[in-house]
Amino acid sequence: MRISVLGSGIVGRTLAARLVELRHRVVIGSRDPGQPHITRWVRAAGELARAGTYAEAARSASIVVNATAGTATVDALRTAGEDELAGKVLVDVANAVSDPAADPPLLRTGERSLGEEIQALFPQTRVVKALNTVSPSVMVNPKRVPGEHVAFLAGDSRQAKTMVTGLLREFGWPVDAIVDLGDITGARSMEMLFPLRQRLSRSLGHTNFNLGVLHA
């Protein structure tokens, strides 16, 4: 598939690298695609990878992954363009915090999650919230965490969630580890887990952990 990853930080580069390994054609999108760390990444990733502006990246793909910082997501997607995102599946892995450096992180206030806000602002885009509850390395390799643990997703489009489930399966998530929380309002509870994730990483001293769901 042709997949675009918006955001060139550690989350974006980790996801993009794994997608290239899986033989997808990947465009990593940035406000400034000529930055040295991006050109180095493209050179190392090989012929299936390239870089472009947010709009160029969105235009070239059927699936767009939002890996921008939550505080910059809306501006980045507006820069990408509503027309370029229309009809696309958008996988939102961002976390909606107002101050990422705060400890504990400060969640944005408001009635809607970031995932819901994206869906409301881009109604022709099929938004699926996924993978925001784990670290980048676990996103693309769940076997880093032993035992049974889960990846949540939420979105209004059943077809879009099926496509995203397919990507998660390619990353190595077992089908019974993917927990569908329903429509895009499920993104609220997913985003609320971010402060717990941050506090756990501090307590454990690493990010190779995840949550499991035990039920009868």
Side-chain angles (χ1 to χ4, degrees):
M1 290 189 292
R2 294 181 180 273
I3 301 175
S4 293
V5 178
L6 306 185
S8 59
I10 185 62
V11 178
R13 297 199 308 275
T14 300
L15 286 165
R18 182 63 178 135
L19 289 166
V20 168
E21 288 178 359
L22 293 168
R23 307 306 295 169
H24 296 292
R25 293 190 176 275
V26 178
V27 179
I28 196 163
S30 172
R31 292 189 186 278
D32 179 8
Q35 296 177 80
H37 75 283
I38 300 176
T39 56
R40 285 195 300 269
W41 179 87
V42 171
R43 190 163 52 246
E47 62 181 10
L48 294 178
R50 63 185 181 90
T53 64
Y54 289 138
E56 289 168 343
R59 186 179 306 127
S60 67
S62 57
I63 295 180
V64 177
V65 179
N66 171 43
T68 62
T71 52
T73 287
V74 171
D75 286 344
L77 294 179
R78 283 177 169 152
T79 300
E82 185 173 359
D83 291 343
E84 303 295 356
L85 294 169
K88 310 287 177 71
V89 173
L90 188 145
V91 188
D92 177 32
V93 305
N95 279 298
V97 293
S98 58
D99 183 0
D103 184 17
L106 300 176
L107 292 174
R108 299 184 329 156
T109 58
E111 296 180 357
R112 294 190 301 203
S113 63
L114 179 61
E116 290 173 274
E117 183 175 358
I118 295 169
Q119 187 62 85
L121 291 171
F122 301 90
Q124 302 305 312
T125 303
R126 294 174 291 168
V127 179
V128 178
K129 191 79 182 187
L131 295 176
N132 69 299
T133 58
V134 293
S135 67
S137 58
V138 176
M139 289 180 187
V140 300
N141 183 12
K143 290 183 180 179
R144 293 178 70 94
V145 180
E148 297 183 359
H149 53 101
V150 299
F152 301 106
L153 56 79
D156 294 339
S157 167
R158 181 175 297 179
Q159 182 184 35
K161 287 192 286 188
T162 297
M163 293 179 68
V164 175
T165 295
L167 278 181
L168 267 57
R169 295 293 309 280
E170 289 189 59
F171 287 161
W173 291 93
V175 66
D176 58 356
I178 301 171
V179 179
D180 187 342
L181 296 181
D183 65 25
I184 195 61
T185 60
R188 298 181 197 180
S189 53
M190 294 169 66
E191 293 177 16
M192 289 178 184
L193 289 173
F194 183 67
L196 175 61
R197 174 183 142 193
Q198 292 296 85
R199 185 55 62 96
L200 280 170
S201 67
R202 190 177 73 177
S203 296
L204 297 173
H206 62 83
T207 60
N208 291 322
F209 61 84
N210 193 13
L211 303 177
V213 177
L214 304 179
H215 59 93

PDB file of all heavy atoms in Angstrom, residues 13 15 21 49 51 72 81-82 95 97 111-112 117 133 136 140 188 196:
ATOM      1  N   ARG A  13       9.082   8.269  12.669  1.00  0.00           N
ATOM      2  CA  ARG A  13      10.167   7.534  12.017  1.00  0.00           C
ATOM      3  C   ARG A  13      10.120   6.041  12.344  1.00  0.00           C
ATOM      4  O   ARG A  13      10.405   5.203  11.488  1.00  0.00           O
ATOM      5  CB  ARG A  13      11.526   8.118  12.393  1.00  0.00           C
ATOM      6  CG  ARG A  13      11.721   9.562  11.943  1.00  0.00           C
ATOM      7  CD  ARG A  13      13.189   9.975  11.915  1.00  0.00           C
ATOM      8  NE  ARG A  13      13.894   9.703  13.140  1.00  0.00           N
ATOM      9  CZ  ARG A  13      13.917  10.505  14.203  1.00  0.00           C
ATOM     10  NH1 ARG A  13      13.240  11.656  14.177  1.00  0.00           N
ATOM     11  NH2 ARG A  13      14.625  10.184  15.280  1.00  0.00           N
ATOM     12  N   LEU A  15       7.374   4.233  13.057  1.00  0.00           N
ATOM     13  CA  LEU A  15       6.275   3.651  12.287  1.00  0.00           C
ATOM     14  C   LEU A  15       6.629   3.552  10.810  1.00  0.00           C
ATOM     15  O   LEU A  15       6.387   2.524  10.162  1.00  0.00           O
ATOM     16  CB  LEU A  15       5.012   4.488  12.478  1.00  0.00           C
ATOM     17  CG  LEU A  15       4.314   4.359  13.834  1.00  0.00           C
ATOM     18  CD1 LEU A  15       3.324   5.493  14.022  1.00  0.00           C
ATOM     19  CD2 LEU A  15       3.601   3.016  13.951  1.00  0.00           C
ATOM     20  N   GLU A  21       9.791  -1.781   6.056  1.00  0.00           N
ATOM     21  CA  GLU A  21      10.223  -3.171   6.218  1.00  0.00           C
ATOM     22  C   GLU A  21       9.151  -4.140   5.732  1.00  0.00           C
ATOM     23  O   GLU A  21       9.463  -5.222   5.217  1.00  0.00           O
ATOM     24  CB  GLU A  21      10.543  -3.458   7.686  1.00  0.00           C
ATOM     25  CG  GLU A  21      11.811  -2.823   8.197  1.00  0.00           C
ATOM     26  CD  GLU A  21      12.035  -3.119   9.669  1.00  0.00           C
ATOM     27  OE1 GLU A  21      11.176  -3.805  10.278  1.00  0.00           O
ATOM     28  OE2 GLU A  21      13.058  -2.668  10.210  1.00  0.00           O
ATOM     29  N   ALA A  49      10.967   4.577   0.370  1.00  0.00           N
ATOM     30  CA  ALA A  49      10.718   5.714   1.254  1.00  0.00           C
ATOM     31  C   ALA A  49      11.059   7.032   0.571  1.00  0.00           C
ATOM     32  O   ALA A  49      12.004   7.117  -0.214  1.00  0.00           O
ATOM     33  CB  ALA A  49      11.539   5.572   2.530  1.00  0.00           C
ATOM     34  N   ALA A  51      10.310  11.632   1.313  1.00  0.00           N
ATOM     35  CA  ALA A  51       9.787  12.670   2.196  1.00  0.00           C
ATOM     36  C   ALA A  51       9.063  13.723   1.371  1.00  0.00           C
ATOM     37  O   ALA A  51       9.334  13.905   0.183  1.00  0.00           O
ATOM     38  CB  ALA A  51      10.917  13.303   3.002  1.00  0.00           C
ATOM     39  N   ALA A  72       0.255  19.971  17.943  1.00  0.00           N
ATOM     40  CA  ALA A  72       0.437  20.493  16.580  1.00  0.00           C
ATOM     41  C   ALA A  72      -0.436  19.800  15.561  1.00  0.00           C
ATOM     42  O   ALA A  72      -0.422  20.164  14.384  1.00  0.00           O
ATOM     43  CB  ALA A  72       1.904  20.343  16.173  1.00  0.00           C
ATOM     44  N   GLY A  81      -4.383  19.684   4.233  1.00  0.00           N
ATOM     45  CA  GLY A  81      -5.505  20.069   3.399  1.00  0.00           C
ATOM     46  C   GLY A  81      -6.680  19.117   3.490  1.00  0.00           C
ATOM     47  O   GLY A  81      -6.524  17.897   3.381  1.00  0.00           O
ATOM     48  N   GLU A  82      -7.855  19.680   3.687  1.00  0.00           N
ATOM     49  CA  GLU A  82      -9.067  18.861   3.799  1.00  0.00           C
ATOM     50  C   GLU A  82      -9.307  18.046   2.539  1.00  0.00           C
ATOM     51  O   GLU A  82      -9.688  16.872   2.601  1.00  0.00           O
ATOM     52  CB  GLU A  82     -10.276  19.754   4.092  1.00  0.00           C
ATOM     53  CG  GLU A  82     -11.559  18.978   4.345  1.00  0.00           C
ATOM     54  CD  GLU A  82     -12.698  19.862   4.796  1.00  0.00           C
ATOM     55  OE1 GLU A  82     -12.486  21.089   4.937  1.00  0.00           O
ATOM     56  OE2 GLU A  82     -13.812  19.336   5.005  1.00  0.00           O
ATOM     57  N   ASN A  95      -1.277  11.897  21.090  1.00  0.00           N
ATOM     58  CA  ASN A  95      -1.887  12.093  22.400  1.00  0.00           C
ATOM     59  C   ASN A  95      -2.128  13.574  22.646  1.00  0.00           C
ATOM     60  O   ASN A  95      -1.262  14.410  22.379  1.00  0.00           O
ATOM     61  CB  ASN A  95      -1.001  11.498  23.498  1.00  0.00           C
ATOM     62  CG  ASN A  95      -1.191  10.008  23.614  1.00  0.00           C
ATOM     63  OD1 ASN A  95      -2.282   9.538  23.926  1.00  0.00           O
ATOM     64  ND2 ASN A  95      -0.154   9.244  23.334  1.00  0.00           N
ATOM     65  N   VAL A  97      -2.128  16.270  24.722  1.00  0.00           N
ATOM     66  CA  VAL A  97      -1.658  16.895  25.956  1.00  0.00           C
ATOM     67  C   VAL A  97      -1.330  18.350  25.670  1.00  0.00           C
ATOM     68  O   VAL A  97      -0.857  18.703  24.594  1.00  0.00           O
ATOM     69  CB  VAL A  97      -0.420  16.161  26.522  1.00  0.00           C
ATOM     70  CG1 VAL A  97      -0.800  14.765  26.990  1.00  0.00           C
ATOM     71  CG2 VAL A  97       0.695  16.080  25.498  1.00  0.00           C
ATOM     72  N   GLU A 111     -14.556  18.937  25.882  1.00  0.00           N
ATOM     73  CA  GLU A 111     -15.468  17.808  25.873  1.00  0.00           C
ATOM     74  C   GLU A 111     -15.030  16.711  24.916  1.00  0.00           C
ATOM     75  O   GLU A 111     -15.465  15.563  25.053  1.00  0.00           O
ATOM     76  CB  GLU A 111     -16.881  18.287  25.493  1.00  0.00           C
ATOM     77  CG  GLU A 111     -17.485  19.250  26.508  1.00  0.00           C
ATOM     78  CD  GLU A 111     -18.876  19.700  26.112  1.00  0.00           C
ATOM     79  OE1 GLU A 111     -19.324  19.296  25.014  1.00  0.00           O
ATOM     80  OE2 GLU A 111     -19.505  20.440  26.879  1.00  0.00           O
ATOM     81  N   ARG A 112     -14.206  17.053  23.919  1.00  0.00           N
ATOM     82  CA  ARG A 112     -13.843  16.079  22.905  1.00  0.00           C
ATOM     83  C   ARG A 112     -12.390  15.668  23.002  1.00  0.00           C
ATOM     84  O   ARG A 112     -11.532  16.447  23.401  1.00  0.00           O
ATOM     85  CB  ARG A 112     -14.099  16.652  21.498  1.00  0.00           C
ATOM     86  CG  ARG A 112     -15.544  16.902  21.180  1.00  0.00           C
ATOM     87  CD  ARG A 112     -15.742  17.219  19.716  1.00  0.00           C
ATOM     88  NE  ARG A 112     -15.002  18.375  19.262  1.00  0.00           N
ATOM     89  CZ  ARG A 112     -15.318  19.096  18.192  1.00  0.00           C
ATOM     90  NH1 ARG A 112     -16.368  18.742  17.470  1.00  0.00           N
ATOM     91  NH2 ARG A 112     -14.593  20.130  17.829  1.00  0.00           N
ATOM     92  N   GLU A 117     -12.017  15.469  17.681  1.00  0.00           N
ATOM     93  CA  GLU A 117     -11.846  16.782  17.065  1.00  0.00           C
ATOM     94  C   GLU A 117     -11.407  16.644  15.611  1.00  0.00           C
ATOM     95  O   GLU A 117     -11.911  17.347  14.724  1.00  0.00           O
ATOM     96  CB  GLU A 117     -10.824  17.602  17.850  1.00  0.00           C
ATOM     97  CG  GLU A 117     -10.653  19.011  17.317  1.00  0.00           C
ATOM     98  CD  GLU A 117      -9.720  19.865  18.164  1.00  0.00           C
ATOM     99  OE1 GLU A 117      -9.227  19.366  19.198  1.00  0.00           O
ATOM    100  OE2 GLU A 117      -9.489  21.026  17.784  1.00  0.00           O
ATOM    101  N   THR A 133      -1.592   4.251  23.135  1.00  0.00           N
ATOM    102  CA  THR A 133      -1.426   3.831  24.525  1.00  0.00           C
ATOM    103  C   THR A 133      -0.123   3.078  24.777  1.00  0.00           C
ATOM    104  O   THR A 133       0.128   2.638  25.898  1.00  0.00           O
ATOM    105  CB  THR A 133      -2.609   2.944  24.967  1.00  0.00           C
ATOM    106  OG1 THR A 133      -2.696   1.807  24.091  1.00  0.00           O
ATOM    107  CG2 THR A 133      -3.909   3.718  24.914  1.00  0.00           C
ATOM    108  N   PRO A 136       6.477   3.816  20.915  1.00  0.00           N
ATOM    109  CA  PRO A 136       6.711   3.541  19.495  1.00  0.00           C
ATOM    110  C   PRO A 136       7.277   2.150  19.226  1.00  0.00           C
ATOM    111  O   PRO A 136       6.866   1.474  18.288  1.00  0.00           O
ATOM    112  CB  PRO A 136       7.696   4.638  19.075  1.00  0.00           C
ATOM    113  CG  PRO A 136       7.448   5.753  20.031  1.00  0.00           C
ATOM    114  CD  PRO A 136       7.078   5.107  21.321  1.00  0.00           C
ATOM    115  N   VAL A 140       5.136  -1.152  16.942  1.00  0.00           N
ATOM    116  CA  VAL A 140       5.538  -1.898  15.745  1.00  0.00           C
ATOM    117  C   VAL A 140       6.062  -3.292  16.060  1.00  0.00           C
ATOM    118  O   VAL A 140       6.312  -4.083  15.149  1.00  0.00           O
ATOM    119  CB  VAL A 140       6.597  -1.122  14.939  1.00  0.00           C
ATOM    120  CG1 VAL A 140       6.036   0.221  14.491  1.00  0.00           C
ATOM    121  CG2 VAL A 140       7.889  -0.930  15.728  1.00  0.00           C
ATOM    122  N   ARG A 188     -11.624   9.036  23.691  1.00  0.00           N
ATOM    123  CA  ARG A 188     -11.479   9.770  24.951  1.00  0.00           C
ATOM    124  C   ARG A 188     -10.784   8.916  26.005  1.00  0.00           C
ATOM    125  O   ARG A 188      -9.819   9.355  26.646  1.00  0.00           O
ATOM    126  CB  ARG A 188     -12.858  10.186  25.479  1.00  0.00           C
ATOM    127  CG  ARG A 188     -13.619  11.120  24.581  1.00  0.00           C
ATOM    128  CD  ARG A 188     -14.948  11.500  25.204  1.00  0.00           C
ATOM    129  NE  ARG A 188     -15.860  12.064  24.208  1.00  0.00           N
ATOM    130  CZ  ARG A 188     -17.092  12.491  24.467  1.00  0.00           C
ATOM    131  NH1 ARG A 188     -17.544  12.414  25.703  1.00  0.00           N
ATOM    132  NH2 ARG A 188     -17.847  12.978  23.501  1.00  0.00           N
ATOM    133  N   LEU A 196      -1.043   7.749  32.641  1.00  0.00           N
ATOM    134  CA  LEU A 196      -0.665   6.495  33.295  1.00  0.00           C
ATOM    135  C   LEU A 196       0.543   5.878  32.600  1.00  0.00           C
ATOM    136  O   LEU A 196       1.476   5.402  33.264  1.00  0.00           O
ATOM    137  CB  LEU A 196      -1.838   5.514  33.265  1.00  0.00           C
ATOM    138  CG  LEU A 196      -1.555   4.107  33.802  1.00  0.00           C
ATOM    139  CD1 LEU A 196      -1.142   4.160  35.269  1.00  0.00           C
ATOM    140  CD2 LEU A 196      -2.771   3.208  33.601  1.00  0.00           C
TER     141      LEU A 196
END
